[in-house]
Amino acid sequence: MRWTTSNIPDQTGRTAVVTGANTGLGYETARLLTEKGATVILACRDLAKARRAASRLGSPRARTLHLDLASPGSIRSAARELEGERVDLLINNAGGIRPRHAVTGEGFELTFATNHLGTFAFTGLMLERLLAVPGSRVVTVSSIGHRRGTMNFEDLHFERGYDYQKAYFQSKLANLLFSYELHRRLTEAEAATISVAAHPGNARTEFGRDMSPFVRLMMRPVMRPLTWWLMHDPEVGALAAVRAAVDPSVRGGEFYGPPGRSQFTGHPERIESSLASYDADAQRRLWAESERLTGVVFSSIPARPAPSAG
Ligand SMILES: NC(=O)c1ccc[n+]([C@@H]2O[C@H](COP(=O)([O-])OP(=O)(O)OC[C@H]3O[C@@H](n4cnc5c(N)ncnc54)[C@H](OP(=O)(O)O)[C@@H]3O)[C@@H](O)[C@H]2O)c1
């Protein structure tokens, strides 16, 4: 049976923080959750856009928060602003693809910094609030593109040459490695919070905004008669993250997205990710590197020593 909006349980009394909720999949996620009674905090890098999105939602339970995932200062102040708040769901949705090489103030490559490092740091700073809420979840949005991703630990920031696809696919593989390592640590700590991953398939959003005119054209709703087999509308794409966030049958460490061989379109089901994403050594290595680069340490869920080979 297709998992649809009618499967979303009542969310009254729950609070979700959705990153990048001013447009695209984040906006649809926020819309679906507010419609089911949740309070949703739209955590966005452009407050004016966030306020416009909140007013489009037309719900008294839609709030805004400034969060630029490429800025460690912004991440810390956003987390501080949420101090004392009950947070049931953190939906790590924000992300993008950048045709040209760019770096943050820290010198981190912008795709990796935004899509992975910022997400890692914000989750770490939100963890205490999540751990305090039984049934809380962290949902991290990856992509089918993760299958083409490899972790280039020797040159995570593409200082030896930038390839925008490699940078994006690496960041989306990193999202999964992070989600699964977070799951392992939460389980070992017997936490009441779970970590789940999702991917939206291909969805008509602003995702292609910095890409070629051809890609931008293909992503437009007007092209639906030609692209129906390749991409779906954001209302369907967002269901994967929403299911990961609210379906009572979901367990930590799982991955949700459109089914089938291509996984381009369709209503979300539990699926498997690439072999590379289940590599426990890569998960641990990325985690250690992310702690070092961001200075955020998840002290309440420390790693257990890795099983020795001998
Ligand atoms: N659409 C697809 O086909 C597709 C496929 C696979 C995976 N995904 C994933 O789905 C997620 C959402 O993408 P989308 O399709 O909805 O794209 P989108 O329409 O371009 O929305 C991306 C959102 O991320 C925000 N964002 C970008 N950089 C940020 C930063 N530094 N700090 C905070 N927020 C930031 C954007 O804010 P601004 O509006 O201010 O830029 C926007 O709200 C991404 O993680 C993407 O990788 C999308």
Side-chain angles (χ1 to χ4, degrees):
M1 266 240 296
R2 290 192 333 172
W3 200 89
T4 68
T5 50
S6 64
N7 295 96
I8 305 173
D10 181 33
Q11 297 296 308
T12 306
R14 306 187 87 204
T15 298
V17 176
V18 182
T19 68
N22 53 284
T23 186
L25 298 160
Y27 177 80
E28 287 303 321
T29 302
R31 186 178 64 78
L32 293 169
L33 293 173
T34 47
E35 282 177 5
K36 293 288 178 169
T39 294
V40 178
I41 299 172
L42 288 74
C44 306
R45 64 175 161 175
D46 182 330
L47 258 188
K49 284 188 187 177
R51 288 187 185 125
R52 282 199 295 275
S55 101
R56 263 199 334 274
L57 287 173
S59 163
R61 295 180 311 281
R63 294 165 42 193
T64 60
L65 172 72
H66 182 253
L67 171 67
D68 181 350
L69 288 169
S71 158
S74 168
I75 293 170
R76 286 186 187 274
S77 55
R80 264 197 309 275
E81 265 194 61
L82 293 175
E83 255 162 40
E85 293 258 2
R86 175 195 169 103
V87 177
D88 297 75
L89 303 171
L90 169 58
I91 304 191
N92 290 320
N93 159 81
I97 185 164
R98 308 189 201 282
R100 279 165 295 283
H101 187 250
V103 292
T104 65
E106 294 64 45
F108 303 155
E109 189 280 313
L110 198 54
T111 318
F112 187 63
T114 306
N115 297 7
H116 169 65
L117 290 176
T119 292
F120 176 90
F122 187 56
T123 306
L125 295 171
M126 292 297 295
L127 194 67
E128 292 307 318
R129 251 139 289 152
L130 288 154
L131 291 174
V133 179
S136 57
R137 298 186 187 184
V138 177
V139 175
T140 303
V141 177
S142 177
S143 157
I144 24 173
H146 85 272
R147 294 190 200 148
R148 292 169 62 191
T150 50
M151 293 308 301
N152 185 1
F153 283 110
E154 311 314 318
D155 186 22
L156 282 173
H157 302 288
F158 293 88
E159 284 159 335
R160 297 177 205 155
Y162 185 67
D163 175 321
Y164 75 93
Q165 287 194 325
K166 280 190 183 158
Y168 179 70
F169 296 146
Q170 171 177 269
S171 76
K172 292 287 127 180
L173 174 59
N175 287 152
L176 284 172
L177 294 168
F178 162 64
S179 184
Y180 296 153
E181 176 68 15
L182 179 60
H183 162 64
R184 178 177 18 258
R185 287 170 178 245
L186 289 167
T187 307
E188 286 172 359
E190 297 179 18
T193 306
I194 62 168
S195 165
V196 190
H199 88 80
N202 293 327
R204 295 182 188 94
T205 64
E206 290 185 45
F207 184 73
R209 61 176 98 172
D210 299 322
M211 309 293 283
S212 68
F214 176 74
V215 173
R216 290 206 302 276
L217 175 68
M218 295 305 276
M219 292 192 82
R220 289 180 53 192
V222 66
M223 300 303 283
R224 216 179 266 119
L226 275 184
T227 58
W228 60 269
W229 59 276
L230 178 64
M231 58 183 78
H232 49 194
D233 290 334
E235 305 88 85
V236 186
L239 284 177
V242 173
R243 181 170 189 180
V246 304
D247 181 345
S249 71
V250 165
R251 298 288 171 266
E254 293 180 345
F255 183 40
Y256 286 81
R261 252 173 76 92
S262 71
Q263 298 180 4
F264 289 164
T265 65
H267 289 245
E269 291 183 10
R270 185 179 170 201
I271 52 171
E272 296 296 315
S273 51
S274 67
L275 270 183
S277 68
Y278 297 114
D279 178 344
D281 288 338
Q283 291 165 4
R284 286 192 195 93
R285 188 171 177 188
L286 176 66
W287 191 283
E289 196 57 13
S290 306
E291 285 190 337
R292 190 182 70 77
L293 291 170
T294 63
V296 174
V297 176
F298 292 53
S299 43
S300 43
I301 51 166
R304 294 238 180 101
S308 65

